[in-house]
Amino acid sequence: MYVKNRGEYASKHVLPKKLAILLCFASFFAGMFFTNRMWMVPDAKSIVKKTSRTGDEQHVDCDMKIKVLKNEDNSSRGISGSQHSIETVDKAISDLEIKLMAARAERETVMKDTIISEDLKNVELTSRRKYLMVIGINTAFSSRKRRDSVRATWMPQGGKLKQLEEEKGIIIRFIIGHSSTSGGILDKAIEAEERMHGDFLRLQHVEGYLELSAKTKTYFSTAVSLWDAEFYVKVDDDVHVNLATLGMTLTEHRKKPRVYIGCMKSGPVLARKGVKYHEPEYWKFGEVGNKYFRHATGQLYVISKDLATYILINQDVLHKYANEDVSLGSWFIGLDVEHVDDRRLCCGTPPDCEWKAQAGNICAASFDWKCSGICRSVERIMEVHEQCGEDKNALWTTNFVQTTRSSNSGKIHMREQA
């Protein structure tokens, strides 16, 4: 029963032989047709076209690379060509930044100083006139007689002092701070002397021998804030100065932006306590017995405006050594500064300066080395003035703008003696 039924079921679903054969042939031909389409080989023209297209693309790519290389070369040339322009702009910006810092420091110095008169505070700094030099005569409360001896010899007085500023561009002031008890008898004495002569520059500084470095820094900072000069001079009140000769000496260095002028020396660093000029920080200068670096002797030295401005801007961070001339020299170490050793700024007193004057070589400044100034200057400075001083009209006949030391019109003559 089971087998019979199964056979019957199978017979109902068997395909006819002819139909099966036709299906086989149809499948075969369909397979051949699609296989031929998939494996069709491209003709030669297609290959040539494709190859030429690839070559064109490579050629274009090479052209692009060449153009890029040319552009890079032109760019590098442009960069190198503009290097100088960039450096010039950078330098101009740097100069403007320095001027801006100086202007700010000037205004702050003037406005915070309660001793400087109100009329000076109201002056527009940008409209100040140009001066040849500002001379600060370092003095102390106890040096009234020294100041009077200077006024009686080489420093013009009264209307002549004002005329000197207006006609020759030379400003001269005694520089002094205030006492530890501000407003005391010492300060009142200076105020009375100022009303009489009008030749002081009061500094925001407490006077003291051990504070000379701080006073020097304050002087240059204050002076460059108040007066736009080419040179700033510091001189002691026991030194004789020939103003015309000093002015002519400085005009030789007008084109030098950072110049430091004086009689250069390199004395020993004194480590032993109790001696004059003892250096408490001697260990900074190496082994005991070493010498200082070259610096101008403290009786008289000169710096250009750029250096005075540098001191003004950096006054809060400049280190002070025991000796003010050493301090000043240390502030310029590491800067691009020209040191000028000029022995006309440190002649001896007669007969030294007298012989030089007779030979036509007038000294700009005279003092005694052994006394660090003119020995007994109150009594002797008149003698030095008479024997070593320049002609009394030399200062007023010398043209500091046009003349040079070698020109005939700028020749400084010896003072006529009776």
Side-chain angles (χ1 to χ4, degrees), residues 267-298:
V269 180
L270 302 178
R272 188 161 60 90
K273 293 182 179 181
V275 299
K276 191 176 183 180
Y277 306 126
H278 164 63
E279 179 56 72
E281 297 181 271
Y282 62 89
W283 59 274
K284 290 185 177 179
F285 299 91
E287 301 297 328
V288 175
N290 281 358
K291 292 185 176 182
Y292 288 113
F293 42 79
R294 287 284 174 182
H295 61 278
T297 187

Side-chain angles (χ1 to χ4, degrees), residues 260 262-265 295-301 325 346 367 369:
Y260 172 35
C263 292
M264 300 295 164
K265 66 175 184 177
H295 61 278
T297 187
Q299 287 83 0
L300 187 149
Y301 45 70
D325 52 354
C346 57
F367 57 88
W369 281 100

Side-chain angles (χ1 to χ4, degrees), residues 115-127:
I115 295 179
I116 299 175
S117 58
E118 290 297 326
D119 57 333
L120 287 176
K121 290 183 180 181
N122 295 328
V123 173
E124 287 296 329
L125 300 176
T126 56
S127 63

Side-chain angles (χ1 to χ4, degrees), residues 377-390:
S377 64
V378 175
E379 293 83 14
R380 294 187 58 237
I381 194 170
M382 181 60 74
E383 171 195 348
V384 176
H385 185 65
E386 292 176 348
Q387 297 183 22
C388 303
E390 59 201 4

Side-chain angles (χ1 to χ4, degrees), residues 98-116:
I98 292 174
K99 291 179 180 179
L100 178 60
M101 292 173 64
R104 288 175 177 171
E106 287 174 1
R107 184 170 293 277
E108 290 175 0
T109 300
V110 172
M111 295 306 171
K112 75 180 181 181
D113 195 337
T114 57
I115 295 179
I116 299 175

